[in-house]
Short mmCIF file of all heavy atoms in Angstrom, two decimals:
data_model
loop_
_atom_site.label_atom_id
_atom_site.label_comp_id
_atom_site.label_asym_id
_atom_site.label_seq_id
_atom_site.Cartn_x
_atom_site.Cartn_y
_atom_site.Cartn_z
N GLU A 390 17.08 2.35 -17.36
CA GLU A 390 15.63 2.22 -17.26
C GLU A 390 15.15 1.32 -16.12
O GLU A 390 13.97 1.35 -15.77
CB GLU A 390 15.05 1.71 -18.60
CG GLU A 390 14.42 2.82 -19.40
CD GLU A 390 13.79 2.30 -20.67
OE1 GLU A 390 14.46 1.52 -21.37
OE2 GLU A 390 12.65 2.68 -20.94
N TYR A 391 16.07 0.54 -15.58
CA TYR A 391 15.68 -0.34 -14.46
C TYR A 391 15.06 0.46 -13.31
O TYR A 391 14.30 -0.08 -12.50
CB TYR A 391 16.89 -1.13 -13.96
CG TYR A 391 17.80 -0.36 -13.05
CD1 TYR A 391 17.61 -0.37 -11.66
CD2 TYR A 391 18.85 0.42 -13.56
CE1 TYR A 391 18.44 0.36 -10.82
CE2 TYR A 391 19.66 1.15 -12.73
CZ TYR A 391 19.47 1.12 -11.37
OH TYR A 391 20.28 1.86 -10.54
N VAL A 392 15.39 1.75 -13.22
CA VAL A 392 14.88 2.56 -12.10
C VAL A 392 13.35 2.70 -12.12
O VAL A 392 12.75 3.08 -11.11
CB VAL A 392 15.52 3.97 -12.06
CG1 VAL A 392 17.02 3.86 -11.81
CG2 VAL A 392 15.22 4.76 -13.31
N LYS A 393 12.75 2.40 -13.26
CA LYS A 393 11.28 2.43 -13.33
C LYS A 393 10.64 1.38 -12.41
O LYS A 393 9.51 1.53 -11.98
CB LYS A 393 10.80 2.14 -14.76
CG LYS A 393 10.85 3.34 -15.66
CD LYS A 393 10.64 2.96 -17.10
CE LYS A 393 9.21 2.64 -17.47
NZ LYS A 393 9.08 2.48 -18.95
N PHE A 395 11.17 0.81 -9.51
CA PHE A 395 10.95 1.27 -8.13
C PHE A 395 9.60 1.97 -7.99
O PHE A 395 9.18 2.27 -6.87
CB PHE A 395 12.09 2.20 -7.71
CG PHE A 395 13.40 1.49 -7.52
CD1 PHE A 395 14.13 1.05 -8.61
CD2 PHE A 395 13.91 1.24 -6.25
CE1 PHE A 395 15.35 0.38 -8.44
CE2 PHE A 395 15.11 0.58 -6.07
CZ PHE A 395 15.83 0.15 -7.18
N GLU A 396 8.93 2.27 -9.09
CA GLU A 396 7.62 2.92 -9.01
C GLU A 396 6.57 1.90 -8.56
O GLU A 396 6.52 0.79 -9.04
CB GLU A 396 7.22 3.49 -10.39
CG GLU A 396 8.17 4.57 -10.86
CD GLU A 396 7.67 5.30 -12.11
OE1 GLU A 396 6.50 5.13 -12.49
OE2 GLU A 396 8.47 6.04 -12.70
N ARG A 410 -10.49 14.46 -1.47
CA ARG A 410 -10.67 15.69 -0.70
C ARG A 410 -9.44 16.58 -0.81
O ARG A 410 -8.32 16.14 -0.58
CB ARG A 410 -10.93 15.40 0.79
CG ARG A 410 -11.14 16.73 1.56
CD ARG A 410 -11.73 16.56 2.94
NE ARG A 410 -10.78 16.17 3.94
CZ ARG A 410 -10.78 15.00 4.58
NH1 ARG A 410 -11.69 14.11 4.31
NH2 ARG A 410 -9.88 14.73 5.48
N HIS A 414 -3.54 24.50 1.73
CA HIS A 414 -2.31 24.35 2.50
C HIS A 414 -1.96 25.69 3.16
O HIS A 414 -1.84 26.70 2.46
CB HIS A 414 -1.18 23.90 1.57
CG HIS A 414 0.13 23.80 2.26
ND1 HIS A 414 0.42 22.79 3.15
CD2 HIS A 414 1.22 24.59 2.22
CE1 HIS A 414 1.65 22.97 3.62
NE2 HIS A 414 2.15 24.05 3.06
N HIS A 443 -15.10 23.61 -12.54
CA HIS A 443 -14.23 23.33 -13.67
C HIS A 443 -13.73 21.88 -13.62
O HIS A 443 -13.65 21.20 -14.65
CB HIS A 443 -13.04 24.30 -13.68
CG HIS A 443 -12.16 24.12 -14.88
ND1 HIS A 443 -12.52 24.53 -16.13
CD2 HIS A 443 -10.95 23.51 -15.02
CE1 HIS A 443 -11.57 24.21 -16.99
NE2 HIS A 443 -10.61 23.59 -16.35
N TYR A 448 -14.04 16.31 -15.75
CA TYR A 448 -14.09 14.87 -15.48
C TYR A 448 -15.53 14.42 -15.26
O TYR A 448 -16.06 14.55 -14.15
CB TYR A 448 -13.20 14.51 -14.28
CG TYR A 448 -11.75 14.73 -14.60
CD1 TYR A 448 -11.08 15.87 -14.19
CD2 TYR A 448 -11.06 13.81 -15.38
CE1 TYR A 448 -9.74 16.08 -14.52
CE2 TYR A 448 -9.73 14.01 -15.73
CZ TYR A 448 -9.07 15.15 -15.30
OH TYR A 448 -7.76 15.34 -15.65
N LYS A 478 -2.24 9.27 -9.24
CA LYS A 478 -2.60 10.02 -10.45
C LYS A 478 -3.93 10.73 -10.28
O LYS A 478 -4.08 11.90 -10.67
CB LYS A 478 -2.63 9.06 -11.65
CG LYS A 478 -2.64 9.78 -12.97
CD LYS A 478 -1.74 9.13 -13.99
CE LYS A 478 -1.66 9.98 -15.24
NZ LYS A 478 -0.70 9.48 -16.21
N SER A 481 -3.39 13.65 -7.59
CA SER A 481 -2.57 14.79 -8.01
C SER A 481 -3.18 15.54 -9.17
O SER A 481 -3.14 16.77 -9.21
CB SER A 481 -1.15 14.32 -8.35
OG SER A 481 -1.17 13.34 -9.37
N THR A 482 -3.79 14.82 -10.12
CA THR A 482 -4.33 15.52 -11.29
C THR A 482 -5.52 16.39 -10.90
O THR A 482 -5.61 17.56 -11.33
CB THR A 482 -4.76 14.51 -12.38
OG1 THR A 482 -3.67 13.65 -12.66
CG2 THR A 482 -5.16 15.23 -13.65
N SER A 485 -4.24 19.35 -8.97
CA SER A 485 -3.53 20.29 -9.83
C SER A 485 -4.51 21.12 -10.66
O SER A 485 -4.37 22.34 -10.77
CB SER A 485 -2.59 19.50 -10.75
OG SER A 485 -1.93 20.34 -11.66
N THR A 488 -6.30 23.65 -8.50
CA THR A 488 -5.38 24.75 -8.18
C THR A 488 -5.25 25.72 -9.36
O THR A 488 -5.32 26.94 -9.19
CB THR A 488 -4.00 24.18 -7.82
OG1 THR A 488 -4.13 23.22 -6.79
CG2 THR A 488 -3.05 25.29 -7.39
N ALA A 489 -5.06 25.15 -10.55
CA ALA A 489 -4.90 26.00 -11.74
C ALA A 489 -6.16 26.83 -11.98
O ALA A 489 -6.08 28.03 -12.27
CB ALA A 489 -4.59 25.12 -12.97
N PRO A 507 1.75 32.05 -4.86
CA PRO A 507 0.95 30.91 -5.35
C PRO A 507 0.39 30.09 -4.19
O PRO A 507 1.15 29.64 -3.33
CB PRO A 507 1.94 30.07 -6.16
CG PRO A 507 3.10 30.96 -6.43
CD PRO A 507 3.17 31.91 -5.28
N PRO A 508 -0.92 29.89 -4.14
CA PRO A 508 -1.53 29.05 -3.10
C PRO A 508 -1.38 27.57 -3.46
O PRO A 508 -1.13 27.24 -4.62
CB PRO A 508 -3.00 29.44 -3.15
CG PRO A 508 -3.22 29.78 -4.59
CD PRO A 508 -1.93 30.40 -5.08
N SER A 509 -1.53 26.70 -2.49
CA SER A 509 -1.49 25.28 -2.82
C SER A 509 -2.49 24.49 -1.97
O SER A 509 -2.94 24.96 -0.93
CB SER A 509 -0.09 24.69 -2.67
OG SER A 509 0.39 24.86 -1.37
N PHE A 510 -2.84 23.32 -2.48
CA PHE A 510 -3.80 22.43 -1.83
C PHE A 510 -3.18 21.04 -1.73
O PHE A 510 -2.32 20.69 -2.54
CB PHE A 510 -5.10 22.35 -2.66
CG PHE A 510 -5.82 23.66 -2.77
CD1 PHE A 510 -5.45 24.61 -3.72
CD2 PHE A 510 -6.86 23.98 -1.90
CE1 PHE A 510 -6.09 25.84 -3.81
CE2 PHE A 510 -7.52 25.21 -1.99
CZ PHE A 510 -7.13 26.14 -2.94
N ASP A 511 -3.61 20.28 -0.75
CA ASP A 511 -3.20 18.88 -0.75
C ASP A 511 -4.43 18.04 -1.09
O ASP A 511 -5.55 18.53 -1.06
CB ASP A 511 -2.57 18.44 0.58
CG ASP A 511 -3.55 18.39 1.73
OD1 ASP A 511 -4.60 17.74 1.60
OD2 ASP A 511 -3.26 18.98 2.78
N ALA A 512 -4.21 16.79 -1.43
CA ALA A 512 -5.31 15.91 -1.82
C ALA A 512 -5.10 14.53 -1.23
O ALA A 512 -3.98 14.08 -1.03
CB ALA A 512 -5.38 15.80 -3.34
N ARG A 513 -6.19 13.88 -0.95
CA ARG A 513 -6.14 12.47 -0.55
C ARG A 513 -7.30 11.75 -1.22
O ARG A 513 -8.31 12.38 -1.56
CB ARG A 513 -6.22 12.32 0.96
CG ARG A 513 -7.60 12.52 1.57
CD ARG A 513 -7.49 12.80 3.05
NE ARG A 513 -6.88 14.09 3.29
CZ ARG A 513 -6.37 14.48 4.45
NH1 ARG A 513 -6.40 13.68 5.50
NH2 ARG A 513 -5.83 15.67 4.59
N VAL A 515 -10.01 8.59 -0.73
CA VAL A 515 -10.57 7.64 0.24
C VAL A 515 -11.62 6.80 -0.48
O VAL A 515 -12.40 7.32 -1.28
CB VAL A 515 -11.21 8.37 1.44
CG1 VAL A 515 -11.52 7.38 2.57
CG2 VAL A 515 -10.34 9.49 1.94
N TYR A 517 -14.98 4.42 -0.34
CA TYR A 517 -16.14 4.07 0.47
C TYR A 517 -16.91 2.94 -0.21
O TYR A 517 -17.35 3.09 -1.34
CB TYR A 517 -17.01 5.30 0.74
CG TYR A 517 -16.33 6.22 1.72
CD1 TYR A 517 -15.77 7.42 1.31
CD2 TYR A 517 -16.20 5.85 3.05
CE1 TYR A 517 -15.11 8.24 2.22
CE2 TYR A 517 -15.54 6.66 3.96
CZ TYR A 517 -14.99 7.85 3.54
OH TYR A 517 -14.32 8.64 4.44
N PRO A 518 -17.07 1.83 0.49
CA PRO A 518 -17.66 0.64 -0.14
C PRO A 518 -19.18 0.68 -0.27
O PRO A 518 -19.71 -0.02 -1.13
CB PRO A 518 -17.22 -0.51 0.77
CG PRO A 518 -16.81 0.09 2.06
CD PRO A 518 -16.46 1.52 1.80
N ASN A 522 -21.93 4.58 3.74
CA ASN A 522 -20.64 5.17 4.13
C ASN A 522 -20.40 6.49 3.39
O ASN A 522 -19.92 7.46 3.96
CB ASN A 522 -19.48 4.20 3.83
CG ASN A 522 -19.52 2.92 4.65
OD1 ASN A 522 -19.11 1.87 4.17
ND2 ASN A 522 -20.00 3.00 5.88
N ASP A 525 -22.61 9.21 4.75
CA ASP A 525 -22.12 9.60 6.07
C ASP A 525 -20.86 10.46 5.96
O ASP A 525 -20.63 11.35 6.78
CB ASP A 525 -21.84 8.35 6.93
CG ASP A 525 -23.13 7.71 7.42
OD1 ASP A 525 -24.20 8.33 7.29
OD2 ASP A 525 -23.07 6.57 7.95
N TRP A 529 -20.67 14.08 7.55
CA TRP A 529 -19.55 14.47 8.42
C TRP A 529 -19.02 15.84 8.02
O TRP A 529 -18.84 16.72 8.86
CB TRP A 529 -18.45 13.40 8.31
CG TRP A 529 -17.20 13.68 9.07
CD1 TRP A 529 -17.08 14.07 10.38
CD2 TRP A 529 -15.86 13.59 8.56
NE1 TRP A 529 -15.75 14.23 10.70
CE2 TRP A 529 -14.99 13.94 9.62
CE3 TRP A 529 -15.31 13.23 7.33
CZ2 TRP A 529 -13.60 13.95 9.46
CZ3 TRP A 529 -13.94 13.23 7.17
CH2 TRP A 529 -13.10 13.59 8.22
N GLU B 114 -18.28 10.63 12.29
CA GLU B 114 -16.81 10.71 12.22
C GLU B 114 -16.14 9.38 11.94
O GLU B 114 -14.96 9.34 11.60
CB GLU B 114 -16.27 11.31 13.51
CG GLU B 114 -15.86 12.77 13.33
CD GLU B 114 -15.24 13.34 14.57
OE1 GLU B 114 -15.82 13.14 15.65
OE2 GLU B 114 -14.18 13.96 14.46
N TYR B 115 -16.88 8.29 12.10
CA TYR B 115 -16.28 6.97 11.86
C TYR B 115 -15.72 6.87 10.44
O TYR B 115 -14.84 6.06 10.17
CB TYR B 115 -17.31 5.87 12.11
CG TYR B 115 -18.28 5.67 10.97
CD1 TYR B 115 -18.00 4.75 9.93
CD2 TYR B 115 -19.45 6.41 10.88
CE1 TYR B 115 -18.89 4.58 8.88
CE2 TYR B 115 -20.33 6.25 9.82
CZ TYR B 115 -20.05 5.33 8.83
OH TYR B 115 -20.90 5.17 7.76
N VAL B 116 -16.25 7.69 9.53
CA VAL B 116 -15.80 7.60 8.13
C VAL B 116 -14.33 7.95 7.95
O VAL B 116 -13.73 7.65 6.92
CB VAL B 116 -16.66 8.48 7.19
CG1 VAL B 116 -18.11 8.00 7.19
CG2 VAL B 116 -16.58 9.95 7.57
N LYS B 117 -13.74 8.60 8.97
CA LYS B 117 -12.31 8.91 8.91
C LYS B 117 -11.47 7.64 8.88
O LYS B 117 -10.34 7.63 8.39
CB LYS B 117 -11.88 9.74 10.12
CG LYS B 117 -12.16 11.21 9.98
CD LYS B 117 -12.01 11.95 11.30
CE LYS B 117 -10.56 12.16 11.69
NZ LYS B 117 -10.48 13.06 12.88
N PHE B 119 -11.70 5.19 7.16
CA PHE B 119 -11.46 4.65 5.82
C PHE B 119 -10.23 5.26 5.15
O PHE B 119 -9.80 4.79 4.11
CB PHE B 119 -12.71 4.86 4.95
CG PHE B 119 -13.88 4.00 5.37
CD1 PHE B 119 -14.60 4.28 6.52
CD2 PHE B 119 -14.26 2.89 4.61
CE1 PHE B 119 -15.68 3.49 6.91
CE2 PHE B 119 -15.33 2.09 4.99
CZ PHE B 119 -16.05 2.39 6.15
N GLU B 120 -9.70 6.32 5.72
CA GLU B 120 -8.49 6.95 5.16
C GLU B 120 -7.27 6.09 5.44
O GLU B 120 -7.08 5.60 6.54
CB GLU B 120 -8.29 8.34 5.76
CG GLU B 120 -9.42 9.31 5.47
CD GLU B 120 -9.11 10.74 5.88
OE1 GLU B 120 -7.95 11.04 6.19
OE2 GLU B 120 -10.05 11.56 5.87
N ARG B 134 7.98 13.13 -9.26
CA ARG B 134 8.01 13.54 -10.68
C ARG B 134 6.65 14.07 -11.10
O ARG B 134 5.63 13.42 -10.92
CB ARG B 134 8.39 12.37 -11.58
CG ARG B 134 8.43 12.84 -13.06
CD ARG B 134 9.15 11.89 -14.00
NE ARG B 134 8.33 10.78 -14.42
CZ ARG B 134 8.53 9.51 -14.09
NH1 ARG B 134 9.54 9.19 -13.32
NH2 ARG B 134 7.74 8.57 -14.52
N HIS B 138 -0.26 17.15 -17.93
CA HIS B 138 -1.41 16.34 -18.32
C HIS B 138 -1.94 16.82 -19.68
O HIS B 138 -2.24 18.00 -19.83
CB HIS B 138 -2.51 16.46 -17.26
CG HIS B 138 -3.76 15.71 -17.61
ND1 HIS B 138 -3.83 14.34 -17.59
CD2 HIS B 138 -4.96 16.14 -18.04
CE1 HIS B 138 -5.04 13.96 -17.97
NE2 HIS B 138 -5.74 15.04 -18.24
N TYR B 172 10.31 24.61 -0.18
CA TYR B 172 10.61 23.39 0.58
C TYR B 172 12.11 23.13 0.62
O TYR B 172 12.67 22.57 -0.32
CB TYR B 172 9.85 22.19 -0.02
CG TYR B 172 8.35 22.33 0.17
CD1 TYR B 172 7.53 22.77 -0.86
CD2 TYR B 172 7.79 22.08 1.41
CE1 TYR B 172 6.16 22.94 -0.65
CE2 TYR B 172 6.43 22.25 1.62
CZ TYR B 172 5.62 22.67 0.59
OH TYR B 172 4.28 22.86 0.81
N LYS B 202 0.19 13.27 0.48
CA LYS B 202 0.34 14.68 0.85
C LYS B 202 1.56 15.29 0.16
O LYS B 202 1.50 16.43 -0.33
CB LYS B 202 0.46 14.79 2.38
CG LYS B 202 0.28 16.19 2.87
CD LYS B 202 -0.54 16.27 4.14
CE LYS B 202 -0.84 17.72 4.47
NZ LYS B 202 -1.75 17.87 5.59
N SER B 205 0.73 15.52 -3.76
CA SER B 205 -0.29 16.49 -4.16
C SER B 205 0.13 17.92 -3.84
O SER B 205 -0.11 18.83 -4.63
CB SER B 205 -1.63 16.15 -3.49
OG SER B 205 -1.52 16.12 -2.09
N THR B 206 0.77 18.13 -2.71
CA THR B 206 1.14 19.50 -2.34
C THR B 206 2.19 20.07 -3.27
O THR B 206 2.07 21.20 -3.74
CB THR B 206 1.64 19.56 -0.87
OG1 THR B 206 0.67 18.95 -0.03
CG2 THR B 206 1.86 21.00 -0.44
N SER B 209 0.56 20.71 -6.61
CA SER B 209 -0.34 21.86 -6.56
C SER B 209 0.45 23.17 -6.57
O SER B 209 0.11 24.11 -7.29
CB SER B 209 -1.20 21.76 -5.29
OG SER B 209 -2.03 22.87 -5.14
N THR B 212 1.95 23.84 -9.98
CA THR B 212 0.89 24.28 -10.89
C THR B 212 0.53 25.75 -10.65
O THR B 212 0.41 26.53 -11.61
CB THR B 212 -0.38 23.41 -10.68
OG1 THR B 212 -0.03 22.03 -10.81
CG2 THR B 212 -1.45 23.76 -11.70
N ALA B 213 0.36 26.11 -9.38
CA ALA B 213 0.00 27.49 -9.06
C ALA B 213 1.09 28.46 -9.53
O ALA B 213 0.79 29.51 -10.11
CB ALA B 213 -0.24 27.62 -7.55
N PRO B 231 -7.10 26.20 -17.79
CA PRO B 231 -6.15 25.84 -16.72
C PRO B 231 -5.40 24.55 -17.05
O PRO B 231 -6.03 23.53 -17.34
CB PRO B 231 -7.05 25.63 -15.49
CG PRO B 231 -8.36 26.27 -15.82
CD PRO B 231 -8.50 26.16 -17.30
N PRO B 232 -4.08 24.59 -17.03
CA PRO B 232 -3.28 23.38 -17.28
C PRO B 232 -3.21 22.54 -16.01
O PRO B 232 -3.48 23.03 -14.92
CB PRO B 232 -1.90 23.94 -17.59
CG PRO B 232 -1.83 25.20 -16.78
CD PRO B 232 -3.24 25.76 -16.73
N SER B 233 -2.87 21.26 -16.15
CA SER B 233 -2.69 20.44 -14.94
C SER B 233 -1.53 19.47 -15.11
O SER B 233 -1.11 19.16 -16.23
CB SER B 233 -3.98 19.70 -14.58
OG SER B 233 -4.41 18.87 -15.63
N PHE B 234 -1.04 19.02 -13.98
CA PHE B 234 0.09 18.09 -13.92
C PHE B 234 -0.29 16.93 -13.02
O PHE B 234 -1.15 17.07 -12.14
CB PHE B 234 1.33 18.79 -13.33
CG PHE B 234 1.82 19.93 -14.18
CD1 PHE B 234 1.25 21.19 -14.08
CD2 PHE B 234 2.84 19.75 -15.11
CE1 PHE B 234 1.68 22.25 -14.88
CE2 PHE B 234 3.27 20.79 -15.92
CZ PHE B 234 2.69 22.05 -15.80
N ASP B 235 0.31 15.77 -13.27
CA ASP B 235 0.14 14.70 -12.29
C ASP B 235 1.46 14.50 -11.55
O ASP B 235 2.49 15.02 -11.97
CB ASP B 235 -0.34 13.39 -12.94
CG ASP B 235 0.70 12.74 -13.82
OD1 ASP B 235 1.85 12.54 -13.38
OD2 ASP B 235 0.38 12.41 -14.98
N ALA B 236 1.40 13.79 -10.45
CA ALA B 236 2.61 13.58 -9.64
C ALA B 236 2.67 12.16 -9.13
O ALA B 236 1.64 11.53 -8.91
CB ALA B 236 2.62 14.54 -8.46
N ARG B 237 3.88 11.69 -8.99
CA ARG B 237 4.08 10.38 -8.34
C ARG B 237 5.30 10.50 -7.42
O ARG B 237 6.17 11.34 -7.64
CB ARG B 237 4.28 9.28 -9.35
CG ARG B 237 5.62 9.24 -10.03
CD ARG B 237 5.56 8.42 -11.29
NE ARG B 237 4.74 9.09 -12.29
CZ ARG B 237 4.25 8.50 -13.40
NH1 ARG B 237 4.50 7.24 -13.62
NH2 ARG B 237 3.54 9.20 -14.26
N VAL B 239 8.49 8.30 -5.85
CA VAL B 239 9.25 7.05 -5.96
C VAL B 239 10.38 7.08 -4.93
O VAL B 239 11.00 8.12 -4.74
CB VAL B 239 9.84 6.87 -7.38
CG1 VAL B 239 10.36 5.44 -7.57
CG2 VAL B 239 8.84 7.23 -8.45
N TYR B 241 14.07 5.82 -3.65
CA TYR B 241 15.32 5.19 -4.10
C TYR B 241 16.21 4.95 -2.89
O TYR B 241 16.55 5.90 -2.17
CB TYR B 241 16.00 6.05 -5.17
CG TYR B 241 15.24 5.95 -6.48
CD1 TYR B 241 14.45 7.00 -6.94
CD2 TYR B 241 15.26 4.77 -7.20
CE1 TYR B 241 13.71 6.88 -8.11
CE2 TYR B 241 14.52 4.64 -8.37
CZ TYR B 241 13.75 5.69 -8.82
OH TYR B 241 13.02 5.55 -9.96
N PRO B 242 16.59 3.68 -2.67
CA PRO B 242 17.31 3.35 -1.44
C PRO B 242 18.79 3.72 -1.46
O PRO B 242 19.37 3.88 -0.39
CB PRO B 242 17.13 1.84 -1.30
CG PRO B 242 16.71 1.35 -2.64
CD PRO B 242 16.13 2.49 -3.40
N ASN B 246 21.11 4.28 -7.23
CA ASN B 246 19.77 4.24 -7.82
C ASN B 246 19.29 5.65 -8.14
O ASN B 246 18.70 5.90 -9.18
CB ASN B 246 18.78 3.57 -6.87
CG ASN B 246 19.07 2.09 -6.60
OD1 ASN B 246 18.84 1.59 -5.52
ND2 ASN B 246 19.59 1.39 -7.60
N ASP B 249 21.12 7.07 -11.11
CA ASP B 249 20.65 6.38 -12.32
C ASP B 249 19.27 6.89 -12.74
O ASP B 249 18.96 6.94 -13.93
CB ASP B 249 20.62 4.86 -12.11
CG ASP B 249 22.02 4.26 -12.11
OD1 ASP B 249 22.98 4.98 -12.48
OD2 ASP B 249 22.17 3.08 -11.74
N TRP B 253 18.61 8.43 -16.34
CA TRP B 253 17.49 7.94 -17.17
C TRP B 253 16.72 9.13 -17.76
O TRP B 253 16.45 9.17 -18.95
CB TRP B 253 16.56 7.07 -16.30
CG TRP B 253 15.33 6.57 -16.97
CD1 TRP B 253 15.23 5.96 -18.18
CD2 TRP B 253 14.00 6.63 -16.44
NE1 TRP B 253 13.91 5.63 -18.44
CE2 TRP B 253 13.14 6.03 -17.39
CE3 TRP B 253 13.45 7.11 -15.25
CZ2 TRP B 253 11.76 5.92 -17.18
CZ3 TRP B 253 12.09 6.99 -15.04
CH2 TRP B 253 11.26 6.40 -16.01
#
Side-chain angles (χ1 to χ4, degrees):
Chain A
E390 257 183 313
Y391 79 91
V392 297
K393 279 169 76 172
F395 290 74
E396 297 189 12
R410 181 166 80 246
H414 177 73
H443 184 74
Y448 293 100
K478 195 138 187 174
S481 58
T482 307
S485 177
T488 306
S509 58
F510 297 83
D511 69 52
R513 76 199 68 196
V515 192
Y517 288 107
N522 295 147
D525 286 349
W529 176 49
Chain B
E114 257 184 312
Y115 79 91
V116 297
K117 278 168 76 172
F119 290 74
E120 298 189 11
R134 181 164 81 247
H138 177 72
Y172 293 100
K202 194 140 188 173
S205 58
T206 307
S209 176
T212 306
S233 58
F234 297 83
D235 69 51
R237 75 198 69 195
V239 192
Y241 287 106
N246 295 146
D249 286 349
W253 176 48

